[in-house]
Amino acid sequence: MLQKRIIWLASALFVLSGCAVLGVSHYDDLFGPEQPRQRLVEYRQGGAQYLQQVKPILDNRCVVCHGCYDAPCQLKLSSPQGIERGLSKALVYDGTRILATPPTRLLFDATTTAQWRDKGFTPVLNERVQTPYANLQGSVMYHSLLLKQRTVFPQQSVLGEEYDFALDRQQTCPTMDEYDNYAKDNPHAGMPYGLPALTSTEYAQLQKWLEQGALMSEVPAPAASVMAQVNKWEAFLNQSGNKYQLAARYIYEHWYLANIYFSDHSHSDFFKLVRSKTPPGEPIELIATVRPFDDPKVSRVYYRLMHERSTILSKTHLPLALSDKKMARLYAQFIGSDYQVSELPGYAPKLAANPFKTFAAIPVKSRYQFMLDEAELIVKGFIKGPVCRGQIALNVINDHFWVAFVDPEKNASPAVEALLMAHDDDLLLPAAEQSNALPLSSWAKYAKHQSDYLKAKTRLSEEIFNQGGKLDLNLIWQGDGHNPNAALTIFRHFNSATVVKGFVGQQPKTAWVLDYALFERIHYLLVAGFDVYGNIGHQLITRLYMDFLRLEGEQNFLNLLPQSHRQAIKQYWYRNSHLSLSEFINRKSLLGAPSHIQYHSHDPQRELYDKLTAYLAPVLHTEYDYMSVPEALKTLNHLPIEAINTLPQVTFILVNDELGELKGYTLLRHNAHFNISSLLNEAGQRAYKEDYVTLLPGFVGDYPEAIWYLPNQVHMAAFSEGLKQVSDEASYQALKAQFGIRRTHPQFWQYSDLLHQIAQQVRGVEFGLFDYNRLENR
């Protein structure tokens, strides 16, 4: 009998261990097996509670950290589909992966919750038996909120080392079965992580929603007048004929990241331009390729406008206004132009990744004017697309520089068109390698292509400017007399960046002048051709190739300076630099032709900045004029270097002005470098004593790292004087205790709401929620 019991016990243990391996859990015993369910309901069937009472809490307390690619655990709480999808332990941003990983884009790469479970995502909502008790006990979201409520959170102090706010921190992402042990080991890890808990009212509201089954509803459908515009634009983009279809493909490959709205009808309804298997009038059936130019595997692509139903985030928001005037402009550029399209190009990678081959039939002037019309949008794509997250992706650019453009009338001459056609093979981009590139062999190949193209471009320029052509300011696009996209400023914030219209801030160390071929290549390198899920080789070759393009843009600017100063200025930009292959290739592209701009000082670069500012004055955007800040704060533009070196990259300052009106300002720290030639040794190239700051009206940057509140003029003066005296971490933290809104401030969420209210008033259609993943703990 004893022997039988031993055998039975051993068998039972074996079965239980087998069940554990097969994924049977404690919660299965309590509430049954997991079974994804449909939680989307109509507004009248329970969706009203979600939209009116739940979504505002999720947006303002949760989406500020859980909104996009870089959300912890890929938990995207900005839409019902993201909430249903849940968590993943897999990293999107992984600079070490040997092979590309399958993409996990909402709406594109899976269409049901069950499909996401097959891809390894685990739920944050209860997916077992639906009872009020089970809905709470089986929900990771509920237990995360409850853990925060039960744990004492420090007030106005710096959090301890148990909190890890690094962007590359280890992902935990516990399932419901893992949560008890996780909470025991990490009692500090309740949600919102590293921020104050929800109020009792907010917590009760979310608890009630979860208890009742977490039903959700989509945001309301757009008004009939807006849908009429959708229908009109879809009809325009899907006309028959090769000319229409090639033009629509070009437009799509440049606008697919934009949040499109119809400026005469609504500023709150946004749409994404997508490729569909189905024509207008039928439900959209997405073509889910990694890149916008990958083979759609259908005989006819249709370009459709899909309603954007996710919460708008500042870090990914690219608003684009469409109107009848815009449609007429596109018609003139792409349809009214005199050219023929005898045959539509295919989608083979080496062809589709090369816009100079794919769109050769469309005149260069039409393509370039189209890009210039929305230059800020196109450049923002470099920044707000998935490529520019993290230091390695961004250390290819300086912290602050201005951008101007070559005039399309000068850049679309027959000679330039012939140059691009003759060297279209040399303009091949890394996306031709797909997402699994071998960096060393690829690097050598693209270096040779770049060298050959630059030699030919320099030869042509020498001929033009030494035989009657003038190298002067008339080469610069003046925005057709009305377009503020003619001048842009790019701010890098170490591991994020911002683009704004105008020449903003103090005169920068460097500037770019972009011509059509350069502008197009940057777009197809960093936006259309970049795969965030690609392997280390793809990411590395993209960064290395961008070296070529940055240097080329800088060379174009240098060529406007006196011959006698060009090389010396460039050497100053690249001090302490071992001559990289990129610099070697670009070194010979400095023109021998003289500049016809008249200079009168020993500082021609400063003069050129002044001349460019005056030349573009009629179209310069002045919203971020750094001299228009209050007098009490202007001194912050001239802080001592010791104070500057303690500052984070992006600081938001809330101020009550003399009229009692609450306004927002941004203090940007610009990290100076001896050069930006090094891929992995940025710290070794830092020129710390040359760092400087710029104080701007409004909010510049999507990731605030510090927030300060100054309730009156006295506090403004005291803060400015106090910041001048900061010299180390201790004095910075002392000032933060006096004026700062730390992440542990008991009223943090009230100030967060104020911040967003002001931003919404100032930014209007450009408003999106800020991201708090980079908030400092100091």
Side-chain angles (χ1 to χ4, degrees):
M1 190 71 177
L2 179 61
Q3 184 179 13
K4 286 184 178 180
R5 289 187 177 179
I6 292 173
I7 292 173
W8 179 87
L9 182 58
S11 300
L13 289 172
F14 176 79
V15 170
L16 288 174
S17 64
C19 289
V21 171
L22 294 174
V24 176
S25 76
H26 165 67
Y27 286 90
D28 290 343
D29 294 333
L30 289 175
F31 306 120
E34 287 186 337
Q35 185 175 357
R37 64 189 297 262
Q38 174 59 257
R39 297 176 195 270
L40 272 176
V41 296
E42 296 295 328
Y43 183 84
R44 294 178 180 177
Q45 296 174 331
Q49 180 194 5
Y50 170 75
L51 291 175
Q52 296 174 5
Q53 301 172 2
V54 174
K55 188 176 186 296
I57 300 173
L58 293 177
D59 284 350
N60 292 294
R61 303 294 180 261
C62 308
V63 174
V64 287
C65 288
H66 287 278
C68 194
Y69 279 107
D70 53 357
C73 302
Q74 295 191 55
L75 178 57
K76 189 173 180 181
L77 299 175
S78 52
S79 70
Q81 292 81 6
I83 297 171
E84 284 276 30
R85 181 178 71 169
L87 306 162
S88 173
K89 297 180 189 293
L91 294 172
V92 172
Y93 290 94
D94 182 358
T96 63
R97 62 170 68 102
I98 304 301
L99 295 175
T101 191
T104 52
R105 298 162 300 170
L106 270 175
L107 305 181
F108 283 84
D109 301 312
T111 56
T112 67
T113 305
Q115 289 172 349
W116 286 119
R117 297 294 168 264
D118 292 340
K119 290 180 179 288
F121 281 78
T122 59
V124 294
L125 303 176
N126 173 45
E127 292 187 344
R128 295 180 171 86
V129 62
Q130 296 292 298
T131 66
Y133 179 73
N135 284 338
L136 293 182
Q137 295 308 310
S139 167
V140 170
M141 182 184 290
Y142 171 71
H143 282 274
S144 297
L145 295 171
L146 180 63
L147 179 61
K148 187 71 172 194
Q149 296 289 322
R150 288 177 170 175
T151 306
V152 176
F153 188 67
Q155 292 192 1
Q156 273 295 61
S157 62
V158 177
L159 295 173
E161 293 182 358
E162 67 273 19
Y163 288 89
D164 186 355
F165 299 111
L167 291 179
D168 59 352
R169 64 183 179 268
Q170 182 180 358
Q171 299 282 289
T172 48
C173 319
T175 64
M176 198 60 252
D177 288 305
E178 299 166 339
Y179 200 86
D180 285 345
N181 288 333
Y182 173 77
K184 195 177 299 181
D185 295 337
N186 301 277
H188 64 284
M191 296 294 157
Y193 182 76
L195 290 166
L198 305 183
T199 65
S200 57
T201 302
E202 292 168 338
Y203 174 76
Q205 185 62 62
L206 292 188
Q207 180 181 3
K208 177 183 176 183
W209 170 66
L210 291 167
E211 192 173 40
Q212 293 176 346
L215 298 179
M216 293 175 279
S217 178
E218 299 281 19
V219 295
S225 62
V226 174
M227 292 310 299
Q229 293 299 309
V230 169
N231 296 335
K232 182 164 72 172
W233 276 88
E234 287 190 347
F236 173 75
L237 291 167
N238 291 288
Q239 297 180 73
S240 299
N242 289 352
K243 198 172 187 179
Y244 280 102
Q245 289 185 48
L246 186 63
R249 177 174 171 178
Y250 186 79
I251 291 167
Y252 165 73
E253 289 183 15
H254 291 77
W255 280 4
Y256 73 98
L257 287 181
N259 279 339
I260 291 169
Y261 68 102
F262 301 101
S263 52
D264 295 333
H265 299 273
S266 172
H267 284 206
S268 58
D269 290 302
F270 295 99
F271 297 83
K272 282 280 195 274
L273 186 58
V274 299
R275 295 197 297 180
S276 174
K277 298 176 183 178
T278 51
E282 296 182 16
I284 292 172
E285 190 174 340
L286 290 171
I287 296 172
T289 56
V290 172
R291 296 177 175 83
F293 52 73
D294 284 344
D295 189 351
K297 300 189 185 327
V298 293
S299 58
R300 170 74 193 270
V301 170
Y302 296 96
Y303 300 98
R304 307 288 303 278
L305 288 166
M306 182 175 69
H307 189 211
E308 177 58 78
R309 292 160 291 180
S310 297
T311 303
I312 299 300
L313 307 173
S314 180
K315 63 182 176 181
T316 55
H317 189 32
L318 296 166
L320 170 64
L322 296 188
S323 62
D324 290 347
K325 183 178 179 181
K326 187 68 174 179
M327 186 180 287
R329 175 69 166 171
L330 294 179
Y331 186 93
Q333 288 169 333
F334 293 108
I335 309 304
S337 296
D338 184 18
Y339 68 96
Q340 302 298 319
V341 182
S342 59
E343 184 180 6
L344 288 175
Y347 290 93
K350 287 190 177 180
L351 171 64
N354 188 335
F356 305 99
K357 283 184 175 289
T358 304
F359 303 106
I362 302 176
V364 166
K365 185 176 180 180
S366 295
R367 286 180 265 163
Y368 190 31
Q369 281 183 336
F370 167 80
M371 294 184 75
L372 290 177
D373 284 351
E374 304 292 344
E376 182 194 30
L377 175 85
I378 303 297
V379 175
K380 275 184 175 179
F382 313 164
I383 303 301
K384 296 200 177 200
V387 62
C388 283
R389 189 272 210 187
Q391 176 201 359
I392 299 301
L394 284 168
N395 71 3
V396 71
I397 62 174
N398 280 291
D399 265 44
H400 177 205
F401 58 98
W402 292 350
V403 180
F405 302 89
V406 175
D407 189 280
E409 298 296 334
K410 310 290 192 304
N411 204 210
S413 67
V416 173
E417 293 237 19
L419 171 73
L420 296 180
M421 290 183 66
H423 288 271
D424 55 6
D425 283 330
D426 290 326
L427 298 171
L428 184 69
L429 290 153
E433 315 271 343
Q434 299 289 277
S435 301
N436 287 301
L438 298 173
L440 293 180
S441 59
S442 300
W443 171 246
K445 176 174 64 178
Y446 293 118
K448 175 68 165 59
H449 284 315
Q450 176 73 357
S451 179
D452 291 346
Y453 167 69
L454 281 182
K455 285 177 184 176
K457 176 185 174 182
T458 304
R459 245 189 339 263
L460 175 62
S461 299
E462 295 279 8
E463 291 173 10
I464 292 173
F465 295 122
N466 281 318
Q467 297 176 10
K470 282 194 172 183
L471 186 55
D472 59 18
L473 286 179
N474 288 319
L475 287 170
I476 302 299
W477 180 52
Q478 286 185 293
D480 302 325
H482 62 83
N483 192 335
N485 283 279
L488 304 177
T489 298
I490 297 179
F491 296 108
R492 175 194 168 193
H493 320 301
F494 188 65
N495 51 23
S496 67
T498 305
V499 185
V500 295
K501 293 188 183 83
F503 288 152
V504 179
Q506 304 92 322
Q507 292 185 351
K509 175 184 173 182
T510 64
W512 295 1
V513 173
L514 300 184
D515 54 45
Y516 164 68
L518 182 54
F519 199 9
E520 192 80 275
R521 278 181 291 158
I522 299 177
H523 175 74
Y524 276 85
L525 177 74
L526 298 183
V527 184
F530 185 76
D531 177 15
V532 71
Y533 300 93
N535 77 333
I536 183 174
H538 169 69
Q539 298 183 44
L540 183 60
I541 194 64
T542 298
R543 190 268 181 225
L544 294 172
Y545 194 99
M546 187 57 205
D547 260 341
F548 293 144
L549 304 187
R550 182 199 69 248
L551 284 159
E552 189 177 341
E554 291 173 347
Q555 300 283 69
N556 289 344
F557 173 79
L558 288 169
N559 285 328
L560 294 172
L561 293 165
Q563 286 174 283
S564 56
H565 288 71
R566 293 172 190 169
Q567 194 60 44
I569 291 173
K570 185 178 179 183
Q571 287 174 348
Y572 175 75
W573 290 356
Y574 289 90
R575 289 168 290 162
N576 300 354
S577 170
H578 298 293
L579 188 63
S580 68
L581 181 57
S582 305
E583 292 170 72
F584 176 77
I585 289 169
N586 282 270
R587 182 172 58 177
K588 296 182 180 179
S589 63
L590 280 175
L591 295 180
S595 172
H596 284 259
I597 300 171
Q598 298 299 310
Y599 293 97
H600 305 285
S601 74
H602 296 295
D603 191 351
Q605 182 177 349
R606 177 172 290 278
E607 272 194 83
L608 180 54
Y609 282 145
D610 290 338
K611 291 177 185 293
L612 277 171
T613 301
Y615 185 71
L616 296 175
V619 297
L620 277 186
H621 195 65
T622 57
E623 177 184 352
Y624 297 109
D625 180 4
Y626 83 113
M627 294 305 293
S628 65
V629 299
E631 287 297 326
L633 296 177
K634 276 186 180 177
T635 56
L636 296 181
N637 285 307
H638 308 286
L639 289 173
I641 194 63
E642 294 81 9
I644 292 172
N645 288 159
T646 67
L647 292 173
Q649 305 303 124
V650 179
T651 296
F652 286 173
I653 304 174
L654 298 174
V655 172
N656 268 316
D657 65 14
E658 61 275 8
L659 300 177
E661 184 178 353
L662 195 59
K663 293 184 177 179
Y665 298 89
T666 303
L667 185 65
L668 298 178
R669 169 181 167 175
H670 311 301
N671 290 352
H673 300 80
F674 295 116
N675 67 80
I676 48 173
S677 299
S678 176
L679 174 63
L680 298 174
N681 185 31
E682 179 171 8
Q685 303 301 332
R686 285 278 282 111
Y688 291 95
K689 292 184 179 180
E690 298 173 19
D691 289 1
Y692 61 102
V693 295
T694 305
L695 182 69
L696 303 170
F699 299 112
V700 176
D702 306 316
Y703 302 88
E705 295 171 63
I707 302 171
W708 304 79
Y709 174 61
L710 310 176
N712 54 48
Q713 299 288 308
V714 174
H715 284 78
M716 261 196 272
F719 170 73
S720 297
E721 188 59 36
L723 195 50
K724 288 180 194 175
Q725 306 304 318
V726 167
S727 59
D728 54 22
E729 184 63 20
S731 53
Y732 177 84
Q733 289 192 20
L735 190 69
K736 194 79 179 283
Q738 189 176 1
F739 298 107
I741 307 301
R742 283 190 169 121
R743 54 168 58 246
T744 54
H745 195 291
Q747 281 82 47
F748 175 86
W749 291 118
Q750 288 92 317
Y751 284 106
S752 173
D753 291 340
L754 278 176
L755 184 68
H756 283 116
Q757 288 170 19
I758 299 168
Q760 191 163 23
Q761 293 167 9
V762 173
R763 288 188 163 188
V765 74
E766 295 189 358
F767 170 75
L769 293 173
F770 296 119
D771 188 287
Y772 290 159
N773 277 297
R774 290 166 172 79
L775 272 178
E776 65 182 9
N777 176 36
R778 301 169 66 192

